[in-house]
Amino acid sequence: MHSLRSSRRLRPAALVVASAAGSLALSALPAAALTGTPVSDADTTYAYTAQVIVGDHDRGCSAALVDAEWLLTAASCFAADPAASLDVPAGAPKKPTTAVIGRADLSGSQGAERRVVELVPRTDRDVVLARLNRPVTNVTPIALATSAAAAGAELTFTGYGRTKTEWAPLKLHTGTYTVNSTATTSADVTGKDAAACMGDAGGPVVAAGKLVGLGSRSSQGGCYGIDETQTSTAGVISRVDGLASWVKSETDATAITDFNGDGVEDIAIADAKASVAGGAGAGLVRLVYGGGKGTAQIDQELDWVAGGAEAGDGFGSAIDTVDHNEDGYTDLVVGTPGEDLDGKADTGMVDVLYGAAGGLGTGSVKAEHFEQGTGTGAIKEAVGEAGDRMGQALAAGTTRAGRPWLVIGSPGEDVGDAKDAGSAFYVYDNTSKALHQDLPTDVPGVAETDDRFGSAISGDRNYFAIGAPGETVGSAADSGTVALFSHTLDADGRPDSIGGMDQSNDAVTGAAEADDEFGAALAMTAYRTSSTATADASMLAIGSPGETSDVDGSDRVGAGRVVLVQIDAKGAWSYVRELRQGDGTDTVVGTSETGDRMGESLTAINTAPRQVATAATLKVAVGTPGEAVGSATKAGAIHTFSLLGAAGDNDLWIEAGDGDGIPGTPTANHRLGQSIHYTGTKLYAGLPYGPVATGVLYALPIGNTYPGGTSGTVTTYKPGTGGLPAAGTEFGSAAR
């Protein structure tokens, strides 16, 4: 507990402002409530105030909404023993925690109800940031003050704790503090007409409409259940003026993968061709928990993972991450496209493996399984067939409203009489909807044999895209097309189709030609424009690795290219530019060559998702695994660009041994660029085909991946090191 610097020493039993619900002893628990004036249902002046309930009403606190997705409250609400220490572990709360925001009368329905899914504590005062599972869009957050309240100033405080006559009131109350004195991180106050009571720890303390502090400790004079001889209304508040930059840095940060909810980044690394229990190519995923908390192997031999490890299953062929059940722990989505079901080869399936405090699969609910003919919605109604390869591609995320979603590709699905036309499933809210090119909902194209719709998928908070690289355009086989969708649902609950494109479209440069494979890879990221308040627009990168390039009159077959497309907040798309390797006459690094297959893999990131996007914040990495470096054929390379800036002014070429982070020398058939993934802090580059037989993964700090960036130390993940088992086949084939 922080020491008090006060002209009046508060009794130890009164230094608490959090409360416990029920009949338990309260003296050792944090939180506060008010003895002051109740707020009417119609009064929204203090709508930013929230009630927080920890566990099964183990504790009750108050809080302030300071961002659509974040509360600011007292660390003492979450400390194990606040009388001894205010230390709060970063990450998911140890107990399920709920919040009600913007509801003056708790028996009503105003405002919003949310879960608290992440804690970011301060170490210098009784303050913690608490992230909500979904944004609150109908309550205006309160801004933080920029200076401390002066001695003698009067402040308004609000909360949901006890009153003079009620243990657990349903009404929000207000009171007035007079500032006695201020210290570096706190201020001593006296309640003018009321004391803070148990239930209000973390409650907003406001001056001139700005948040100056949070309730921390109180003498609780006049509070229900307190000795009548205790009449003091003195208290201590935690100062929050001056914390705006800290709050902004945390609320603006990109999310991390955190399977065990400890606030430290974890990583999942796939080896989809690994042998498990004697099954060649059964596949597995290895986990490396951040902060030195060990490693784990996930495969189908675990009793909580569906199926069994069998030859050719390809468990981990596609992986992604999302907090699917909204509990604060990252969940791993795994595709197993080679799974045989009911005697049908390569039908495929997908599993969501749930994170928990002990890591993946350690919670009470360990996984959710998706297999055609089971579950709910369109997936239950579907009939699994040989060669569907459900889970060969997938994407996961949350909408701008915070709703989790999955898109699962089944590129081998037959649609009507069209063999391998392909389809996808959109999964949300315990149901699923089918997407394919024969739906009467303006999905671009027509389901035809070998379209392979669902071979590539990418999405963000606004939209998602599905590639059909086998689409015949005109008479050009395997020319390819891309379909675009919004997360907005139509009357049938299916995502709205917002159009699509192929290379015959007048708005897209080039022409639809055979074997272009337009849409074979996709990468999408949301961003904020200068005319929008949030990231409601998106940038989409489309790979066309089979594209032929003309260099000085010579055709370079399969050189590849990438097309960049902007999708505005209303769902209208527009062509931006193409990305190709140079031809010797421009400023783009490299030269288009036969078989480069530029754009065979893609990954994009917005490093500042809350800010107006710039050329420096929107990045795309392009895999060119067929690149010959010197005499080393298919050595591969990674080419990074700005999604907004001119191609030749913002690109960086990464090959083995060039100093950007991939060690060694370019070697034939290593195919660098085959496996790439951006996070907010790193670019993961997998080399499943070398330089060692097991495969290897490198994590390049993001500053290593753009011109002028600050280079950092590269982390190497390799079987046989860092606690990872020595066995591996194509380790690093995917990473998240």
Side-chain angles (χ1 to χ4, degrees):
M1 186 70 71
H2 294 302
S3 62
L4 280 172
R5 291 188 237 177
S6 175
S7 57
R8 289 185 290 174
R9 183 175 299 275
L10 305 185
R11 294 191 305 165
L15 302 185
V16 282
V17 286
S19 73
S23 58
L24 300 177
L26 304 177
S27 61
L29 297 177
L34 298 175
T35 60
T37 306
V39 177
S40 72
D41 297 350
D43 187 353
T44 60
T45 304
Y46 309 106
Y48 48 76
T49 308
Q51 183 200 48
V52 176
I53 299 296
V54 179
D56 186 16
H57 288 79
D58 298 334
R59 294 184 187 172
C61 298
S62 298
L65 185 74
V66 294
D67 176 90
E69 296 181 56
W70 293 83
L71 300 175
L72 202 59
T73 186
S76 51
C77 297
F78 299 95
D81 182 2
S85 172
L86 293 179
D87 289 345
V88 175
K94 299 308 177 186
K95 296 181 179 182
T97 302
T98 58
V100 176
I101 306 100
R103 188 172 298 171
D105 184 346
L106 294 174
S107 64
S109 59
Q110 310 99 309
E113 298 179 15
R114 296 290 186 264
R115 302 179 196 170
V116 173
V117 293
E118 182 184 3
L119 302 176
V120 182
R122 290 283 300 191
T123 58
D124 62 345
R125 67 196 74 187
D126 187 12
V127 170
V128 67
L129 269 168
R131 183 169 64 87
L132 305 172
N133 65 312
R134 299 190 181 190
V136 176
T137 58
N138 57 354
V139 176
T140 301
I142 186 171
L144 273 63
T146 57
S147 59
E154 290 192 351
L155 312 174
T156 299
F157 63 112
T158 64
Y160 287 95
R162 299 187 202 177
T163 65
K164 292 180 179 179
T165 58
E166 294 179 284
W167 177 286
L170 295 177
K171 294 277 191 177
L172 175 67
H173 288 71
T174 69
T176 302
Y177 275 143
T178 299
V179 178
N180 301 326
S181 62
T182 60
T184 303
T185 62
S186 63
D188 289 350
V189 295
T190 298
K192 183 178 179 181
D193 51 10
C197 302
M198 290 186 177
D200 287 329
V205 182
V206 178
K210 299 291 181 67
L211 188 68
V212 296
L214 302 172
S216 179
R217 289 166 285 180
S218 172
S219 294
Q220 302 181 77
C223 298
Y224 185 86
I226 298 298
D227 192 319
E228 292 183 0
T229 62
Q230 172 60 284
T231 60
S232 173
T233 59
V236 177
I237 65 172
S238 295
R239 286 178 53 184
V240 300
D241 59 279
L243 294 187
S245 61
W246 172 71
V247 169
K248 182 176 175 56
S249 69
E250 297 295 342
T251 59
D252 283 5
T254 54
I256 63 170
T257 295
D258 188 5
F259 299 123
N260 57 1
D262 64 355
V264 182
E265 189 167 14
D266 306 321
I267 183 172
I269 308 167
D271 187 340
K273 293 295 180 68
S275 295
V276 179
L284 58 81
V285 177
R286 299 204 187 279
L287 307 178
V288 180
Y289 292 107
K293 294 189 177 178
T295 64
Q297 177 173 314
I298 308 296
D299 60 47
Q300 291 179 285
E301 287 298 285
L302 296 171
D303 60 8
W304 55 274
V305 179
E310 300 162 323
D313 280 350
F315 179 85
S317 293
I319 60 175
D320 209 345
T321 57
V322 66
D323 185 1
H324 185 68
N325 59 352
E326 300 181 81
D327 64 352
Y329 299 93
T330 303
D331 308 316
L332 181 66
V333 189
V334 182
T336 311
E339 182 76 20
D340 300 346
L341 296 170
D342 297 328
K344 301 171 184 177
D346 299 339
T347 302
M349 64 186 192
V350 169
D351 291 278
V352 178
L353 311 179
Y354 287 129
L360 286 184
T362 64
S364 57
V365 178
K366 301 180 185 302
E368 185 172 359
H369 182 63
F370 298 96
E371 172 186 323
Q372 294 179 81
T374 66
T376 61
I379 293 178
K380 179 177 176 59
E381 296 167 2
V383 177
E385 300 168 318
D388 283 350
R389 297 194 63 80
M390 178 182 178
Q392 182 168 312
L394 54 84
T398 56
T399 68
R400 68 179 69 163
R403 169 174 56 79
W405 56 266
L406 306 177
V407 183
I408 300 170
S410 294
E413 180 80 23
D414 298 344
V415 179
D417 296 329
K419 183 176 177 57
D420 296 340
S423 69
F425 296 104
Y426 183 80
V427 181
Y428 71 98
D429 290 350
N430 198 37
T431 191
S432 58
K433 296 294 179 179
L435 300 171
H436 55 74
Q437 291 176 292
D438 270 4
L439 289 172
T441 54
D442 298 323
V443 178
V446 176
E448 300 165 316
T449 296
D450 293 328
D451 280 350
R452 303 194 309 278
F453 181 89
S455 292
I457 304 167
S458 187
D460 61 23
R461 61 185 249 134
N462 304 315
Y463 308 106
F464 63 96
I466 299 177
E471 177 84 10
T472 297
V473 180
S475 60
D478 295 329
S479 178
T481 191
V482 173
L484 303 177
F485 300 87
S486 166
H487 293 295
T488 302
L489 306 176
D490 65 17
D492 294 325
R494 183 176 282 110
D496 283 336
S497 170
I498 59 170
M501 72 213 71
D502 57 50
Q503 293 178 104
S504 70
N505 191 297
D506 291 340
V508 178
T509 61
E513 300 165 318
D515 301 318
D516 281 347
E517 299 174 67
F518 184 80
L522 302 167
M524 183 182 286
T525 188
Y527 76 104
R528 178 184 166 193
T529 69
S530 59
S531 60
T532 58
T534 57
D536 295 340
S538 299
M539 289 292 294
L540 171 66
I542 303 169
S544 183
E547 179 79 17
T548 296
S549 288
D550 182 308
V551 179
D552 298 328
S554 173
D555 282 346
R556 309 294 171 88
V557 178
R561 74 162 180 166
V562 175
V563 168
L564 301 183
V565 171
Q566 178 195 40
I567 311 171
D568 69 19
K570 296 181 179 179
W573 69 267
S574 57
Y575 171 83
V576 177
R577 69 175 62 85
E578 70 168 3
L579 304 175
R580 292 181 189 257
Q581 291 190 59
D583 60 8
T585 63
D586 55 30
T587 59
V588 177
V589 178
T591 302
S592 293
E593 299 165 322
T594 296
D596 281 347
R597 293 191 63 78
M598 178 185 183
E600 186 165 304
S601 59
L602 295 167
T603 180
I605 190 70
N606 183 352
T607 60
R610 297 275 190 105
Q611 307 306 308
V612 174
T614 68
T617 59
L618 280 182
K619 307 177 190 300
V620 62
V622 179
T624 307
E627 178 75 24
V629 181
S631 61
T633 58
K634 298 182 181 178
I638 301 169
H639 206 166
T640 68
F641 298 87
S642 168
L643 284 165
L644 290 181
D649 297 333
N650 298 277
D651 64 325
L652 181 72
W653 182 265
I654 301 173
E655 65 183 45
D658 65 0
D660 293 312
I662 307 298
T665 58
T667 303
N669 299 314
H670 278 186
R671 296 182 64 80
L672 175 63
Q674 184 77 44
S675 168
I676 53 177
H677 177 67
Y678 257 133
T679 70
T681 59
K682 299 178 182 69
L683 173 64
Y684 289 111
L687 276 163
Y689 311 116
V692 294
T694 57
V696 65
L697 177 76
Y698 300 106
L700 282 63
I702 205 164
N704 294 38
T705 69
Y706 60 90
T710 301
S711 293
T713 302
V714 174
T715 303
T716 300
Y717 299 94
K718 183 171 64 175
T721 65
L724 293 166
T729 304
E730 293 184 5
F731 179 87
S733 57
R736 292 292 186 273

